[in-house]
Amino acid sequence: MKKVLKFVIALSIGLVIFGFVMGRAGWDRLSEAFVLFLSFKGIIIVLLTFVIAAISVLRWKLILRSQGLDARVKDLGKLWSVGFAISFLTPISLLGGEAFRIYLTKKKFNFSWEKSAASVIIDKILDGTLFLMFLIVGILAFLFYGHFPSHMMAWLVALIILGLLGILLLFYFKAVNRESVLEWFLKVFGIRKEKFKNTPNGKIIFGTEKEVIRFFSPRRRAFWKGLSLSFLRYFLLFLRAALLIFFLKEGIEVSRALAIYGFANLGLLFPLPAGLGSLEAASAFSFGTLGLGFATGTIFGMVWRGADLFLCLIGVVFLVKFGAELAEVKILGFIDNLKKLK
């Protein structure tokens, strides 16, 4: 019930922000975004979105293969789309579906909990590494052209980026030196590792961490391949944004496109479902600051979300399908138990 309430509150806040931004930009921008999305230009954006998704699935398969596991790309694609859909619809659009991916991977392929969880965590760390890199480059490009409206906002953005960068650098430092991040955190909070490590859940968690650290070794080809696929994924995400900007405003420089892309990604960090409101606000603000038009930025944000929403709907279909299959298994198991009781 608490999760539903949090979702409703986050959605309500997103709708208020969306309404405020659209009220300033003009509600007719909705129809302009819809026309662009259904045009040939919109089809290009959607197709590029599917190419990006395919690269994500191939990266996940690479991670599993490095763990000595194998699964068909087709099956992984279905599970990945479910995770994407849940992440897209939950309050923080970059997180949320990982737990479902881990659970469904365990159930679908009968992999161990440690390797199922590690594969998803590795995938997310690689994703976060390139996300943060493009975010920093984008914000720096934005500062070259404009500035934040207030010092408080500038400090907030700086703290968010520095916090994420600090956590990521700590992980890589520990991983390269083959040291446990969990043990470090337990020591910081004064918890004895033996007390936690000897529990059933503790063994699974430390086993998962061991798999994760094993992957992030500069000596492993799988690590560099995973990093390369991550770079390709985010380069294509940037290309998608740049193409969309070009469709709206021809003759845009690469540096300005980077600035808009970075600021749009910043909007996705706010705890709102699908970045509703925050994506339009970030896009409109960056477009307006760079002299490309506040209202045009809202169209950019809505078409961006439309492409991701198309992919999300496919994930929802598979989510319903997997849910029905799991429910059927549980019902049949319950019936079998009743027969045994008789």
Side-chain angles (χ1 to χ4, degrees):
M1 188 65 185
K2 288 183 179 179
K3 291 182 179 180
V4 175
L5 182 61
K6 287 179 181 178
F7 176 81
V8 172
I9 292 172
L11 181 62
S12 300
I13 293 172
L15 287 171
V16 170
I17 297 172
F18 180 81
F20 175 78
V21 174
M22 294 308 299
R24 180 178 171 184
W27 287 98
D28 54 335
R29 299 293 177 260
L30 279 170
S31 60
E32 291 181 38
F34 189 71
V35 169
L36 176 58
F37 185 74
L38 293 181
S39 68
F40 179 72
K41 295 175 181 177
I43 293 173
I44 293 174
I45 298 298
V46 171
L47 288 176
L48 194 51
T49 301
F50 277 94
V51 171
I52 294 165
I55 292 170
S56 302
V57 176
L58 290 174
R59 182 182 62 191
W60 190 18
K61 181 175 175 63
L62 169 73
I63 294 167
L64 288 169
R65 188 182 295 167
S66 74
Q67 296 176 305
L69 305 173
D70 194 26
R72 294 190 305 171
V73 172
K74 182 180 178 181
D75 294 329
L76 290 176
K78 293 176 182 179
L79 298 185
W80 183 90
S81 66
V82 170
F84 176 84
I86 296 170
S87 292
F88 186 78
L89 296 173
T90 47
I92 300 180
S93 62
L94 294 172
L95 298 169
E98 288 71 31
F100 281 85
R101 276 174 65 189
I102 293 168
Y103 178 78
L104 291 174
T105 301
K106 174 68 173 68
K107 290 294 182 181
K108 182 74 175 178
F109 305 113
N110 199 29
F111 296 155
S112 68
W113 282 114
E114 291 87 346
K115 292 196 174 185
S116 297
S119 70
V120 176
I121 293 170
I122 291 166
D123 186 64
K124 204 63 191 177
I125 292 172
L126 288 172
D127 215 46
T129 301
L130 271 298
F131 173 85
L132 189 57
M133 187 188 83
F134 273 87
L135 176 63
I136 292 172
V137 172
I139 295 300
L140 290 175
F142 174 81
L143 292 175
F144 180 78
Y145 289 101
H147 56 84
F148 292 103
S150 67
H151 290 296
M152 184 178 291
M153 184 178 180
W155 277 110
L156 178 62
V157 172
L159 287 173
I160 291 172
I161 293 175
L162 289 174
L164 293 173
L165 184 61
I167 293 170
L168 200 61
L169 288 176
L170 172 65
F171 167 78
Y172 274 103
F173 175 79
K174 291 289 185 181
V176 169
N177 289 284
R178 318 300 291 170
E179 297 175 4
S180 172
V181 180
L182 286 173
E183 287 183 12
W184 182 84
F185 273 107
L186 290 174
K187 187 177 180 180
V188 168
F189 289 101
I191 302 172
R192 291 178 59 189
K193 77 170 183 179
E194 292 79 11
K195 186 177 180 181
F196 179 76
K197 199 172 184 178
N198 292 329
T199 64
N201 288 336
K203 289 178 181 178
I204 292 175
I205 291 171
F206 273 96
T208 299
E209 187 194 34
K210 187 177 179 181
E211 288 287 334
V212 173
I213 291 176
R214 191 173 69 88
F215 180 87
F216 285 92
S217 171
R219 298 178 182 179
R220 301 199 67 191
R221 291 180 63 187
F223 165 67
W224 294 108
K225 287 181 179 178
L227 208 58
S228 298
L229 285 174
S230 299
F231 179 81
L232 178 60
R233 180 178 187 270
Y234 271 91
F235 174 77
L236 290 178
L237 281 167
F238 163 67
L239 179 63
R240 184 182 71 163
L243 277 175
L244 184 51
I245 296 167
F246 178 77
F247 292 152
L248 292 166
K249 293 283 185 179
E250 296 183 7
I252 184 75
E253 301 98 330
V254 174
S255 55
R256 290 196 182 207
L258 269 171
I260 292 170
Y261 176 64
F263 217 86
N265 277 332
L266 186 65
L268 293 176
L269 290 175
F270 287 85
L272 300 172
L276 181 64
S278 62
L279 180 58
E280 282 79 14
S283 301
F285 173 75
S286 59
F287 266 73
T289 303
L290 297 178
L292 300 174
F294 182 92
T296 307
T298 61
I299 300 173
F300 171 86
M302 286 185 283
V303 175
W304 173 318
R305 181 182 295 105
D308 287 342
L309 181 60
F310 197 84
L311 189 61
C312 170
L313 292 175
I314 295 174
V316 170
V317 171
F318 287 122
L319 176 61
V320 172
K321 182 182 176 182
F322 285 131
E325 289 176 358
L326 291 173
E328 182 182 2
V329 170
K330 288 186 177 181
I331 292 170
L332 291 175
F334 178 72
I335 293 172
D336 289 337
N337 289 332
L338 287 176
K339 288 180 179 179
K340 289 177 182 178
L341 290 172
K342 291 180 180 180

